[in-house]
Amino acid sequence: MIARPEGGPRVVVGVDDSAGARCALSWAIGEARLRRLPLLVAHSAPLPPHVSAAGQLGCGITDALRGSGAELVARLLDEVSGGPPDGVEMTALALVGEPGATLVRLAGEDDILVVGHGTRGPFSRLLRPSVRLHCARRARATLVCVRPPAIGTLPDYMTLRDEPEHAPDRSRFRWLGRALRLAR
């Protein structure tokens, strides 16, 4: 592993509990491994409106948000790569603040900022703005938006549950191709 000087380029990925964030984390781990860059995994939780309006920052809510964010990052790393990825220098942060603004502050000009591309409706966007669009408008770093796969779960299509046992000429990839054609 190549040690980078302080302030050198790195891969910064923002995560939450969504399919797009899992795909973004997986892509960021692969990119950090490929380019031999340090990886920064960040989760930022916004303060609930009632807490920020009342000014009750010292009541333990920020500590609870950071704790749940750290648990989420650990769980996502476990799901995506079986724990901290091998061969990658990694730092994980659980922060409190608006996710888009936090990621823009964390990513420098020479960094690669990775975010997931979610599928939310217009009403949801009114309640909470898009982190991806915020980063696209304001980030100085190279921005990569990772979409989840178009089909629900790729491993379900890779298994041969519905195929007869005596069909050796059909491979899993042929089955996947047929399933993708039917999904259109």
Side-chain angles (χ1 to χ4, degrees):
M1 183 164 24
I2 297 174
R4 298 287 175 177
E6 190 66 34
R10 60 190 173 170
V11 178
V12 179
V13 60
V15 296
D16 61 3
D17 198 12
S18 68
R22 284 174 177 78
C23 293
L25 179 60
S26 177
W27 191 91
I29 289 170
E31 191 70 12
R33 194 173 280 143
L34 177 71
R35 294 181 185 258
R36 297 182 182 190
L37 293 174
L39 176 67
L40 174 63
V41 181
H43 170 75
S44 181
L47 276 175
H50 67 279
V51 173
S52 57
Q56 302 171 339
L57 296 179
C59 65
I61 292 179
T62 56
D63 293 334
L65 287 173
R66 282 190 192 112
S68 65
E71 290 173 7
L72 175 72
V73 169
R75 183 170 45 90
L76 288 176
L77 282 169
D78 205 32
E79 288 176 13
V80 170
S81 66
D86 296 329
V88 176
E89 178 187 337
M90 190 197 79
T91 305
L93 293 175
L95 304 167
V96 176
E98 289 301 317
T102 303
L103 289 174
V104 168
R105 273 195 317 270
L106 285 174
E109 287 183 18
D110 54 348
D111 293 339
I112 300 172
L113 177 59
V114 184
V115 294
H117 188 289
T119 55
R120 296 184 343 188
F123 184 69
S124 175
R125 291 202 187 279
L126 282 175
L127 296 176
R128 199 145 20 98
S130 170
V131 173
R132 175 184 58 89
L133 292 177
H134 183 90
C135 292
R137 291 181 185 130
R138 294 180 177 85
R140 298 179 318 254
T142 302
L143 179 66
V144 177
C145 298
V146 180
R147 282 185 178 262
I151 54 177
T153 57
L154 193 56
D156 287 344
Y157 288 101
M158 294 293 287
T159 60
L160 297 173
R161 291 181 303 193
D162 300 331
E163 289 294 306
E165 296 290 327
H166 60 277
D169 60 329
R170 297 190 116 178
S171 71
R172 291 182 180 191
F173 293 105
R174 280 181 126 178
W175 173 249
L176 175 64
R178 194 177 96 205
L180 289 174
R181 281 192 299 276
L182 294 175
R184 291 184 203 173

